[in-house]
């Protein structure tokens, strides 16, 4: 076996509130998966066997026969598939399980380093950050990727994401995938994994194209603002608080539900020192951790602050990337405190996947 696969399968056990993490394969990430058809076949069979065995109920969304047919169809295509197409095929199969905790971890390579970032606004996709070399694209609307209309390209990218999650989560995934050269090549959207042509329209209606080349540039991206908003500041810190004197509010960006004891104590000290009228907990970039840690160090202390735990004084910001333990903690804020949840619909569904054999 080539050991090229890394499967992250996480699911809640029947009603117990326990999260189990299952990992298989991949001792080190290769830069490129230039494997033989036989090696891809072995990896596919490994995935098809191990995923249902390790997941509490791999067929809670897609019937077993449909899963097995997808495996068979991909197996027949592997002799003529390149690395990107083979990997995309594996991603499609894993997405059939339906929950976002079950995924294929794509190896990082230079094709992922395209010089633009795209985000969805309503039905439109726009450039929201860009390398200085293509700074003129900032804010432009994307209408084509390669020769394909953006709506169709987005549909194909969506096939690689968990099929039974909320639309906000799949939209976030699609926006990221639209700038992944390897995925776009594997999906047949572009001919070259390291160079992707985008057709754009600026606000004056002028249509133009750029050839976005993958690179490892360290240049800071250009964004549509002079000063970074609070949620983008101090990106290296998993828990950072800022007192906003004019609003008499304490804003705390919590990016992970891990190791919260010390930073949460510092937050409580700031509350005692500053006596803010409002507390804002930002979970929009939080991909999870251990929800019991969040309950102990965020929710319970917030609940016990009479000046904060009342309507209009405690806010929790949520969004498409509020995931796993962060999703659980947001729900606990809602049920155990007077917090107001503000933002987008949370991307992940709160679902218990029951083991049919339990």
């Amino acid at each position: 076996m080539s050991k090229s696969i890394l499967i992250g399968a996480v699911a809640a056990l029947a009603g117990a509130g326990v999260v189990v993490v299952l990992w298989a394969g991949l001792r080190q990430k290769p830069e490129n998966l230039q494997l033989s058809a036989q090696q891809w076949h072995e990896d596919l069979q490994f995935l098809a066997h191990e995923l249902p065995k390790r997941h509490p109920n791999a067929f809670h969304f897609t019937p077993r026969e449909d899963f097995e047919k997808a495996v068979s169809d991909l197996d027949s295509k592997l002799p003529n598939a390149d690395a990107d197409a083979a990997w995309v095929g594996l991603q499609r199969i894993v997405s059939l399980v339906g929950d976002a905790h079950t995924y294929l971890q794509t190896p990082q390579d230079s094709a992922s380093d395209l010089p633009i970032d795209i985000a969805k606004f309503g039905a439109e996709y726009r450039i929201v950050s860009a390398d200085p070399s293509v700074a003129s694209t900032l804010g432009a609307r994307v209408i084509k990727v390669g020769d394909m209309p953006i709506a169709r390209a987005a549909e194909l990218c969506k096939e690689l994401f968990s099929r039974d999650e909320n639309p906000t989560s799949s939209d976030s995934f699609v926006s990221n995938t639209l700038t992944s050269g390897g995925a776009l090549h594997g999906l047949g959207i572009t001919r070259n994994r390291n160079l992707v042509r985008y057709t754009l329209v600026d606000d004056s209606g002028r249509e133009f194209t750029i050839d976005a080349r993958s690179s490892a540039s360290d240049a800071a991206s250009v964004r549509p603002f002079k000063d970074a908003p609070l949620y983008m500041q101090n990106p290296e810190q998993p828990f950072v608080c800022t007192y906003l004197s004019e609003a008499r509010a304490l804003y705390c960006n919590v990016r992970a539900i891990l190791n919260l004891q010390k930073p949460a104590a510092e937050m409580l000290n700031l509350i005692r020192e500053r006596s803010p009228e409002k507390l804002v907990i930002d979970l929009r970039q939080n991909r999870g951790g251990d929800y019991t840690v969040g309950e102990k160090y965020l929710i319970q202390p917030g609940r016990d602050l009479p000046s904060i735990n009342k309507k209009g004084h405690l806010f929790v910001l949520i969004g498409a990337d509020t995931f796993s333990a962060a999703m659980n903690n947001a729900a606990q804020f809602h049920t155990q405190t007077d917090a107001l949840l503000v933002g987008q619909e949370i991307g992940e569904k709160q679902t218990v996947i029951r083991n049919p054999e339990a």
Side-chain angles (χ1 to χ4, degrees):
M1 179 172 295
S2 65
K3 298 296 183 186
S4 65
I5 292 176
L6 173 58
I7 305 169
V10 185
L13 294 182
V18 178
V19 173
V20 177
V21 182
L22 307 173
W23 298 101
L26 196 66
R27 294 177 182 174
Q28 60 182 4
K29 291 182 180 180
E31 285 296 314
N32 287 295
L33 297 179
Q34 301 302 328
L35 310 177
S36 67
Q38 179 59 30
Q39 287 174 313
W40 282 116
H41 169 79
E42 291 172 359
D43 280 354
L44 174 61
Q45 296 310 311
F46 175 81
L47 183 150
H49 178 264
E50 292 295 325
L51 198 160
K53 184 174 76 173
R54 295 167 181 260
H55 197 287
N57 184 2
F59 308 112
H60 66 94
F61 178 72
T62 299
R64 179 186 288 270
E65 54 269 26
D66 292 349
F67 180 90
E68 292 177 347
K69 182 178 185 304
V71 171
S72 177
D73 288 347
L74 176 59
D75 200 42
S76 68
K77 296 174 182 176
L78 288 177
N80 298 312
D82 63 19
D84 288 332
W87 194 271
V88 159
L90 294 177
Q91 284 185 295
R92 279 200 183 100
I93 288 171
V94 174
S95 75
L96 295 175
V97 176
D99 57 272
H101 271 106
T102 304
Y103 59 92
L104 199 66
Q105 180 66 56
T106 305
Q108 296 298 308
D109 60 28
S110 60
S112 297
D113 297 326
L114 294 177
I116 58 172
D117 289 318
I118 293 174
K120 188 178 184 184
F121 298 89
E124 296 181 346
Y125 290 89
R126 288 184 179 263
I127 308 294
V128 293
S129 72
D131 186 86
S133 63
V134 287
S136 62
T137 66
L138 195 63
R141 180 164 54 92
V142 185
I143 60 171
K144 286 185 181 180
V145 185
D147 295 325
M148 187 176 292
I150 185 66
R152 177 55 182 159
E155 286 177 5
L156 291 176
C157 291
K158 190 174 180 179
E159 293 178 2
L160 308 185
F161 186 69
S162 302
R163 304 295 176 90
D164 193 32
E165 291 293 357
N166 291 332
T168 49
S169 189
S170 62
D171 285 346
S172 177
F173 175 87
V174 167
S175 293
N176 290 330
T177 307
L178 285 169
T179 58
S180 171
L184 295 174
H185 180 240
L187 287 165
I189 297 172
T190 183
R191 299 184 188 90
N192 188 331
R193 71 192 314 268
N194 294 303
L195 186 150
V196 181
R197 172 161 291 185
Y198 294 88
T199 303
L200 311 173
V201 175
D202 64 21
D203 286 340
S204 71
R206 179 179 67 94
E207 183 175 313
F208 62 104
T209 64
I210 63 161
D211 291 331
R213 298 178 183 274
S214 59
S215 69
S217 172
D218 293 328
S221 295
V222 179
R223 297 181 180 274
F225 41 74
K226 181 178 179 181
D227 298 317
L230 278 174
Y231 79 95
M232 286 187 176
Q233 294 177 17
N234 305 297
E236 73 288 348
Q237 296 186 34
F239 192 136
V240 59
C241 293
T242 304
Y243 181 69
L244 307 173
S245 56
E246 290 187 10
R248 291 189 56 79
L250 183 65
Y251 168 85
C252 295
N253 195 350
V254 184
R255 293 186 171 98
I257 308 296
L258 293 168
N259 304 316
L260 297 184
Q261 183 174 5
K262 181 179 178 181
E266 293 171 351
M267 178 187 74
L268 293 174
N269 285 335
L270 277 171
I271 292 172
R272 283 190 286 267
E273 292 171 5
R274 297 281 194 163
S275 299
E277 293 180 359
K278 302 179 184 69
L279 174 63
V280 181
I281 304 293
D282 193 341
L283 300 179
R284 289 176 296 173
Q285 298 168 303
N286 197 308
R287 301 294 293 172
D290 183 344
Y291 78 92
T292 63
V293 171
E295 183 175 26
K296 181 176 181 179
Y297 295 113
L298 285 180
I299 291 133
Q300 291 177 2
R303 185 184 61 202
D304 296 338
L305 291 170
S307 65
I308 293 295
N309 185 24
K310 52 187 179 182
K311 292 189 183 299
H313 292 262
L314 179 58
F315 302 88
V316 177
L317 307 187
I318 58 174
D321 294 322
T322 304
F323 186 73
S324 192
M327 175 199 67
N328 289 342
N329 287 153
Q332 289 173 317
F333 266 114
H334 179 66
T335 58
Q336 297 183 29
T337 75
D338 283 326
L340 178 65
L341 304 189
V342 181
Q344 290 179 291
E345 178 185 33
I346 288 176
E348 183 192 14
K349 288 186 176 179
Q350 192 168 22
T351 304
V352 173
I353 301 169
R354 299 187 180 278
N355 187 339
E357 299 178 359

